[in-house]
Amino acid sequence: MNVDKILADLEAKHPGEKEYLQAVREVLLTVQDEYNKHPEFEKAKIIERMVEPDRILTFRVTWVDDKGEVQNNIGYRVQFNNAIGPYKGGIRFHASVNLSILKFLGFEQTFKNALTTLPMGGAKGGSDFSPRGKSDAEIMRFCQAFMIELWRNIGPDMDVPAGDIGVGGREVGYLYGMYKKLTRECTGTLTGKGFEFGGSRIRPEATGFGACYYVQSMLKDLGTDFKGKTVAVSGFGNVAWGAVLKATELGAKVVTISGPDGYIYDPDGINTPEKIETMLELRASGNDVCAPYAEKYPNAQFFAGKKPWEQKVDIAMPCATQNEVSKADAEMLRDNKVLLVAEVSNMGCTAEAIDLFIENKMVYAPGKAVNAGGVATSGLEMTQNAQHIYWTAEEVDKNLHQIMKDIYDQCVKYGKEEDGYMNYMKGANIAGFMKVANAMMGQGVI
Ligand code: 2IT
């Protein structure tokens, strides 16, 4: 595989799609040695086929705001790869959404879903619609307008969307409601639904819980556990919430959360039901700020415009968004002797930050492994829907636990380097890649 040539060709075809090119580069650089052991992959042009989405749908979403003004947004669904199973992946509503971001997410999702051990392909969708400051009625009308365009292209064995940034249980409910209205079928197409209409127990918590289960395995290999450790978490959304809950339950003290406005440092720990409730209220307010936390809890400090990585902690868990850990942040984590960095956000660390972790032999695990518990539990929701049954929270959690352990073991299998350094990124990329490549090989040139 000639990585430089493939990347140069891609860049010429898709100029300026920097997140997408970044995600592809990372995977190609880590899988090339393994790929080159398989001349049959080269002959079948597996890598050239894998880096391009199967198809991209774009559509106009027109809706009316509360003032009666007509608004236009762009909607997308990137169906990346269905070699292993139906397209599967979240929908993101955020002002920053563009094709580069959704292509990077769809590409990552393909390998992540392969790691889950469940039969799911990769996809991602979304819109440049910003939920910030929107009323509930506006959110509903937007979701309905989005689904009126999307519904023909999704289905329980075709493509199953879910939530992502800006799309939580409420939005999934509105999207699914319109999907059902149009299809007149209750096939469960969309995961993260309400418990009353097909949603799985533990799905809201699953990304954060799964990330903590993965970190538990990392800590075990370091001869320790969560007890008494301090944790820096970024973000204050659904993923951060699950991570804070589980890390606290396992005996750690989470001391930070963050938002686009800055971060909160709470030396007492974000560990009481009231503080967790405050996190949920911040999110429900729709204002995208975390500063009000410090007004409520006098020991907590708010640092405007900064990120939590400057705090000295044992464990760093970025839970916000892509490229939230820069090289300078990585240097601070190194200088503060962080025990491990578990990326929970998708591509949360820049390429330069990852290079620094690996050059310094730091313990770093990538998002596509650490955060896979979210989509894995979506897969478990699909199973329950297909069987027309509900599992208890205990059953779902047990499955999630086992899946995270399997993902961890795959990363270790492919990631252990000759000098004993555990390169979890390499392990995750190779394990995911090999599964997708073999699935494509088995189905001919299509
Ligand atoms: O990035 C992700 O894995 C998600 N947003 C969840 C996708 C899903 O289908 O549950």
Side-chain angles (χ1 to χ4, degrees):
M1 176 196 316
N2 184 340
V3 175
D4 288 338
K5 180 167 183 328
I6 295 171
L7 284 171
D9 287 351
L10 268 192
E11 199 158 354
K13 253 190 262 178
H14 309 293
E17 294 189 358
K18 59 182 191 336
E19 292 86 2
Y20 162 62
L21 295 166
Q22 178 188 344
V24 172
R25 175 186 296 271
E26 181 207 291
V27 169
L28 297 197
L29 288 175
T30 45
V31 305
Q32 60 180 337
D33 290 345
E34 192 64 34
Y35 188 86
N36 290 336
K37 293 181 197 155
H38 297 270
E40 69 278 16
F41 289 171
E42 187 82 35
K43 193 157 179 285
K45 295 259 184 340
I46 287 291
I47 204 72
E48 289 84 347
R49 286 156 61 192
M50 215 184 259
V51 298
E52 282 290 345
D54 289 354
R55 72 191 60 77
I56 299 173
L57 312 160
T58 78
F59 43 90
R60 173 173 52 77
V61 185
T62 297
W63 56 285
V64 181
D65 70 17
D66 286 348
K67 295 194 209 93
E69 272 179 42
V70 176
Q71 300 285 344
N72 284 303
N73 288 97
I74 309 182
Y76 306 90
R77 185 72 178 163
V78 179
Q79 296 180 331
F80 221 101
N81 187 299
N82 69 352
I84 293 180
Y87 299 110
K88 180 85 195 85
I91 289 179
R92 178 176 293 192
F93 291 163
H94 193 269
S96 67
V97 163
N98 58 34
L99 211 43
S100 171
I101 288 180
L102 295 182
K103 281 171 68 178
F104 116 64
L105 288 164
F107 181 74
E108 291 270 301
Q109 196 81 46
T110 301
F111 301 106
K112 180 198 308 191
N113 293 4
L115 288 173
T116 64
T117 70
L118 301 174
M120 300 184 289
K124 207 82 191 191
S127 174
D128 60 354
F129 169 80
S130 172
R132 193 187 281 193
K134 299 288 191 299
S135 72
D136 187 69
E138 288 175 323
I139 299 270
M140 182 176 77
R141 288 197 295 276
F142 178 79
C143 289
Q144 292 175 338
F146 185 91
M147 187 51 76
I148 287 171
E149 275 296 323
L150 185 63
W151 72 281
R152 283 183 195 279
N153 295 290
I154 62 175
D157 295 308
M158 188 198 304
D159 183 351
V160 183
D164 193 79
I165 293 170
V167 178
R170 175 180 61 168
E171 291 75 15
V172 167
Y174 292 151
L175 289 162
Y176 186 59
M178 181 52 85
Y179 178 81
K180 273 177 58 184
K181 179 106 184 154
L182 294 164
T183 59
R184 301 186 187 179
E185 282 177 354
C186 301
T187 50
T189 308
L190 269 123
T191 58
K193 300 182 290 295
F195 301 135
E196 306 81 2
F197 52 95
S200 175
R201 294 285 164 193
I202 307 290
R203 178 63 190 89
E205 296 91 340
T207 312
F209 277 22
C212 289
Y213 298 154
Y214 192 96
V215 171
Q216 266 188 312
S217 295
M218 296 171 84
L219 288 166
K220 192 164 169 230
D221 277 355
L222 294 170
T224 185
D225 57 30
F226 263 114
K227 283 195 201 77
K229 302 284 186 300
T230 50
V231 183
V233 162
S234 62
F236 65 92
N238 167 263
V239 175
W241 167 73
V244 170
L245 280 180
K246 187 53 84 175
T248 305
E249 186 193 314
L250 295 172
K253 184 161 86 170
V254 180
V255 290
T256 69
I257 50 170
S258 73
D261 55 334
Y263 80 92
I264 295 288
Y265 176 69
D266 184 346
D268 301 335
I270 302 164
N271 50 13
T272 62
E274 294 73 30
K275 288 178 176 179
I276 298 291
E277 191 52 39
T278 303
M279 262 182 97
L280 294 174
E281 283 165 13
L282 288 174
R283 187 156 156 242
S285 79
N287 295 330
D288 229 3
V289 291
C290 67
Y293 182 102
E295 288 155 28
K296 251 180 141 165
Y297 303 99
N299 281 350
Q301 276 175 280
F302 172 66
F303 294 88
K306 299 190 110 185
K307 289 185 276 181
W309 318 126
E310 61 186 20
Q311 291 293 338
K312 187 170 166 46
V313 291
D314 299 312
I315 297 169
M317 297 180 74
C319 295
T321 192
Q322 68 273 356
N323 292 328
E324 57 171 311
V325 179
S326 66
K327 185 176 180 199
D329 297 326
E331 281 165 352
M332 282 191 283
L333 291 166
R334 178 197 57 196
D335 296 346
N336 283 332
K337 302 206 164 27
V338 73
L339 196 59
L340 67 87
V341 180
E343 183 182 77
V344 194
S345 39
N346 289 311
M347 205 166 75
C349 301
T350 63
E352 296 74 30
I354 298 173
D355 287 347
L356 186 134
F357 294 146
I358 291 177
E359 274 159 27
N360 288 278
K361 307 268 176 210
M362 290 168 67
V363 182
Y364 157 74
K368 64 170 77 69
V370 178
N371 75 29
V375 72
T377 307
S378 279
L380 301 175
E381 183 168 324
M382 289 165 70
T383 305
Q384 293 167 75
N385 293 167
Q387 294 185 85
H388 305 283
I389 54 165
Y390 283 112
W391 294 342
T392 62
E394 289 70 30
E395 278 174 286
V396 179
D397 197 39
K398 190 166 149 259
N399 275 293
L400 171 62
H401 232 116
Q402 183 61 47
I403 288 169
M404 294 315 296
K405 203 182 162 308
D406 289 346
I407 294 172
Y408 184 82
D409 291 345
Q410 293 175 71
C411 294
V412 169
K413 179 175 167 201
Y414 290 101
K416 195 158 190 147
E417 298 201 327
E418 274 163 22
D419 62 359
Y421 175 62
M422 199 71 85
N423 188 335
Y424 292 103
M425 174 184 68
K426 188 170 146 195
N429 285 344
I430 295 178
F433 170 82
M434 288 303 286
K435 185 159 176 196
V436 180
N438 286 326
M440 288 173 72
M441 287 300 294
Q443 295 172 67
V445 178
I446 46 169

